[in-house]
Amino acid sequence: MKIISTKGLYNMRPVSGSAEWYWCCDYVSGDLYEAEELYQDGHPIKQNRLLFLHYPDGHTVEPIVAHEGQYFGAPGFENGRLQILMADFPAGKIYVFQYNPTPEQLTLRAELSRSAIKDCYNLMFQQSPLMLVRHSFEKRLQFLWPETAEFEIGNTETFYSREGDNLYFTRWFEDPDYREETVIRRWPTGEIAEVIPGTLMEFPDGQRWVLQ
């Protein structure tokens, strides 16, 4: 049995797109959207921590130590490198950092103005390739980086990934029995190209299966 020091962070989850890396944040001010709301209401924002755990060796790393007013969202993974999403509320910025484990190197990939988005609700990384997207309350999907696009989606529709000009979604129905469909839309308009009955499953190596 291995004993791994995680400095108080225990609820590890797989990093999307990786079969080796796990991550955990503390939530001293809630999730990213809740922290943003607190800041907008005039409350001080205590920064959270982001820790990564590598399997199977148990190596842990905390690539960025945030400062007051800065807050991490869920990370991503691309080309063997960890991708870090951080908001700096006082600076009005959204940052995308890349951490290369071997050799250890941290680089800034993108700096976005916070004014470019309405809020941080469902602001997250998606793949593939790595994208920063936002699912709005109004059921609009925004692609913010590295390319931009925006279109409406269905009330029960969730975006999963991109492959070339194909965008993969799932949507559910209760009519009256529960069922799901896989929806393929076209980039960048969001036009529906194909609907396949069944539940979409995606794997770390990029394979997509539809369970019917």
Side-chain angles (χ1 to χ4, degrees):
M1 180 183 297
K2 287 185 177 181
I3 306 297
I4 309 296
S5 174
T6 60
K7 302 176 183 177
L9 298 180
Y10 309 122
N11 187 25
M12 292 288 172
R13 288 159 284 178
V15 176
S16 179
S18 171
E20 299 178 356
W21 284 97
Y22 293 76
W23 71 280
C24 185
C25 274
D26 60 12
Y27 293 98
V28 292
S29 298
D31 63 18
L32 181 60
Y33 174 64
E34 291 167 332
E36 179 187 47
E37 284 192 318
L38 287 172
Y39 178 77
Q40 291 176 336
D41 289 341
H43 299 285
I45 299 301
K46 181 175 173 57
Q47 69 272 22
N48 63 348
R49 293 175 51 219
L50 173 64
L51 183 74
F52 293 100
L53 171 69
H54 186 256
Y55 179 84
D57 54 77
H59 175 65
T60 60
V61 62
E62 196 170 352
I64 304 176
V65 177
H67 301 289
E68 184 175 342
Q70 296 177 334
Y71 219 75
F72 295 108
F77 192 78
E78 185 179 49
N79 298 326
R81 297 169 175 85
L82 295 164
Q83 312 296 322
I84 300 171
L85 172 63
M86 186 180 78
D88 189 326
F89 297 122
K93 300 289 185 181
I94 303 291
Y95 297 108
V96 177
F97 293 96
Q98 177 173 275
Y99 176 72
N100 186 2
T102 309
E104 292 192 33
Q105 184 179 28
L106 182 71
T107 56
L108 177 63
R109 293 191 67 182
E111 177 182 317
L112 287 72
S113 171
R114 170 59 190 79
S115 62
I117 61 174
K118 182 177 180 179
D119 54 50
C120 291
Y121 179 73
N122 277 343
L123 181 67
M124 65 183 72
F125 289 129
Q126 298 278 14
Q127 300 188 242
S128 172
L130 187 79
M131 301 164 287
L132 183 61
V133 305
R134 174 183 174 269
H135 291 254
S136 73
F137 281 117
E138 298 82 16
K139 301 308 295 182
R140 294 189 66 83
L141 182 64
Q142 291 180 290
F143 294 81
L144 302 168
W145 173 87
E147 297 180 89
T148 58
E150 182 176 351
F151 51 81
E152 292 185 4
I153 59 175
N155 288 332
T156 63
E157 202 166 340
T158 301
F159 175 57
Y160 266 73
S161 63
R162 175 183 175 183
E163 182 179 28
D165 288 336
N166 288 335
L167 304 170
Y168 293 86
F169 296 76
T170 62
R171 63 186 180 191
W172 58 268
F173 301 87
E174 288 182 335
D175 51 5
D177 296 330
Y178 181 85
R179 63 184 176 88
E180 292 187 11
E181 293 178 339
T182 297
V183 181
I184 303 176
R185 294 179 178 269
R186 294 298 188 203
W187 172 267
T189 63
E191 176 186 1
I192 293 179
E194 186 176 2
V195 177
I196 306 171
T199 300
L200 177 66
M201 285 188 64
E202 296 197 336
F203 298 89
D205 64 358
Q207 289 193 60
R208 298 176 180 87
W209 297 355
V210 176
L211 308 183
Q212 296 182 328

